[in-house]
Amino acid sequence: MKTSDFYYDLPQELIAQTPLERRDSSRLLVLHKTDGAIEHRHFFDILDYLHEGDCLVMNDSRVIPARLLGKRVPSGGAVEVLLLTDKGDGIWECLVKPGRKLHEGAEISFGDGALTATVKEVLETGNRLVQFHYEGIFLEILERLGKMPLPPYIKEELQDGERYQTVYSKVNGSAAAPTAGLHFTKELLAEIAAKGVKLAYVTLHVGLGTFRPVKAEEITEHHMHSEFCMISRETAELLNETKRNHGRIVCVGTTSCRTLESLAEEDGTFSEKSAWTDIFIYPGYHFKAMDALITNFHLPESTLIMLVSAFAGYDHVMNAYQEAVQNRYRFFSFGDAMLIE
């Protein structure tokens, strides 16, 4: 298949710039993958589609305020540093602007010197290995000096950083939010659990590669970025129990899906495990674990719309997206949701 097969026309005004006041008041398009039938609901109606014995799988990764604005030393020129991967010992792989000024050995100061850094190496990708110098706890300094790294299509400032976190986020490490989970409230999760649905958590630290466009003409020529993911023993046991009892595994977001499909055994069973995954799911893929998916609406020609098409069928998904545009759904990170079952 060609990348262009996954293009759809999206009016700019449908790209949600801010979250709704109530997380669970977003709209929900329900797509039945057997026949392509569509229902239009609201997210709080998700209760009607989850059944006793199902297992709802959520990614508990938490976005770190990974965007740092600083100054070059001694010139005072403005720079922007975006943390990508923690390499240990205070060294991070970073995206930097302006790249031409931040060569090996360049010194940077943030927050009037509360945090300083040295560019150690310029990588082949153009990213930098940056050594940070500080006293205290790095994440606490980031909370004070860093900004939330919002996706490039969001132009408005976010007033409350917690709105770009899920209510169950726990493990620091993502550069972007697992956005399908933004629709859940603690109250809604309590109602779901009371219905006899198991709540399970996995961790996948979302990288900025999630926004990287597919440039290859043929989708099979695209190379995925790597992301760290893990499943705990407790979650593995919940998933195996669900499968044994013929319940459904319902993934919240493509990150939960990619974690399960990366770490599942060939027979669909699980054990405690962690790995770096670069799994690329596109039409023709055989799903080992996931039975239903809650997801947002994804960018045209993205690896995520390819994943959704692999699960629900290409024609069903492209038709559902066309219907969502016609019905003025809100798209992308702060947008509306889709349930595929």
Side-chain angles (χ1 to χ4, degrees):
M1 296 185 82
K2 296 190 182 300
T3 299
S4 57
D5 291 334
F6 295 89
Y7 178 80
Y8 66 93
D9 193 29
L10 180 68
Q12 282 287 115
E13 67 269 17
L14 297 187
I15 300 174
Q17 293 295 315
T18 54
L20 296 178
E21 188 174 342
R22 272 187 55 200
R23 287 177 183 260
D24 62 357
S25 65
S26 53
R27 295 166 74 189
L28 178 69
L29 185 149
V30 181
L31 173 61
H32 299 274
K33 63 190 179 79
T34 49
D35 60 2
I38 288 170
E39 299 175 62
H40 298 286
R41 305 291 295 270
H42 284 91
F43 196 81
F44 47 74
D45 295 322
I46 200 80
L47 271 170
D48 296 341
Y49 298 91
L50 297 173
H51 314 300
E52 184 177 355
D54 286 348
C55 183
L56 190 68
V57 183
M58 294 163 277
N59 179 8
D60 64 6
S61 183
R62 186 169 173 82
V63 186
I64 59 173
R67 186 168 161 251
L68 287 163
L69 304 177
K71 295 180 179 178
R72 282 186 294 121
V73 178
S75 72
V79 298
E80 181 177 329
V81 176
L82 194 58
L83 308 179
L84 297 179
T85 309
D86 184 358
K87 299 294 187 179
D89 298 323
I91 299 171
W92 284 74
E93 183 176 342
C94 302
L95 276 170
V96 300
K97 292 181 189 175
R100 67 185 186 284
K101 299 283 188 180
L102 293 170
H103 45 76
E104 190 174 319
E107 300 281 342
I108 312 167
S109 174
F110 307 94
D112 297 324
L115 176 66
T116 60
T118 308
V119 176
K120 285 181 66 73
E121 188 181 338
V122 179
L123 302 176
E124 285 183 12
T125 58
N127 294 348
R128 306 302 199 261
L129 286 185
V130 177
Q131 173 77 65
F132 288 93
H133 317 285
Y134 55 91
E135 290 185 9
I137 299 170
F138 187 59
L139 276 172
E140 289 183 359
I141 295 169
L142 272 189
E143 290 289 345
R144 200 168 73 247
L145 300 180
K147 293 178 176 290
M148 207 55 80
L150 293 176
Y153 47 75
I154 292 179
K155 309 300 182 188
E156 292 196 24
E157 279 284 322
L158 183 61
Q159 300 306 313
D160 176 8
E162 281 302 306
R163 293 307 308 274
Y164 195 56
Q165 306 278 14
T166 62
V167 296
Y168 47 79
S169 65
K170 187 172 65 173
V171 186
N172 284 304
S174 279
T179 53
L182 296 178
H183 305 281
F184 287 95
T185 63
K186 288 182 177 177
E187 295 77 14
L188 182 56
L189 287 171
E191 289 183 69
I192 290 168
K195 196 171 179 179
V197 177
K198 303 182 192 73
L199 304 182
Y201 298 92
V202 297
T203 304
L204 181 142
H205 292 316
V206 188
L208 287 179
T210 192
F211 302 118
R212 198 177 71 190
V214 178
K215 293 182 178 174
E217 188 176 333
E218 297 286 339
I219 63 173
T220 51
E221 294 170 5
H222 176 70
H223 297 291
M224 287 289 283
H225 57 291
S226 286
E227 294 168 316
F228 180 76
C229 61
M230 56 186 172
I231 290 177
S232 66
R233 187 179 62 167
E234 179 186 6
T235 291
E237 289 172 355
L238 279 174
L239 293 169
N240 292 336
E241 180 189 347
T242 301
K243 285 288 190 186
R244 279 196 305 272
N245 296 333
H246 307 292
R248 297 181 308 162
I249 290 178
V250 183
C251 288
V252 177
T254 55
T255 60
S256 298
C257 166
R258 292 178 69 242
T259 300
L260 296 198
E261 295 299 322
S262 297
L263 301 184
E265 303 298 335
E266 282 306 313
D267 63 358
T269 59
F270 292 91
S271 58
E272 182 178 4
K273 197 182 288 187
S274 64
W276 285 86
T277 181
D278 59 359
I279 190 171
F280 181 16
I281 297 174
Y282 53 85
Y285 178 84
H286 173 69
F287 287 84
K288 301 192 289 282
M290 182 172 73
D291 299 303
L293 175 66
I294 297 167
T295 186
N296 280 12
F297 292 94
H298 304 295
L299 276 73
E301 301 185 332
S302 64
T303 60
L304 303 181
I305 195 173
M306 294 171 192
L307 182 156
V308 173
S309 297
F311 185 61
Y314 172 81
D315 290 335
H316 291 342
V317 168
M318 299 312 288
N319 178 60
Y321 268 64
Q322 189 175 5
E323 181 140 342
V325 170
Q326 288 171 350
N327 283 272
R328 311 292 292 177
Y329 274 68
R330 302 166 81 244
F331 277 67
F332 306 162
S333 295
F334 289 137
D336 295 316
M338 175 190 269
L339 167 66
I340 303 170
E341 63 166 14

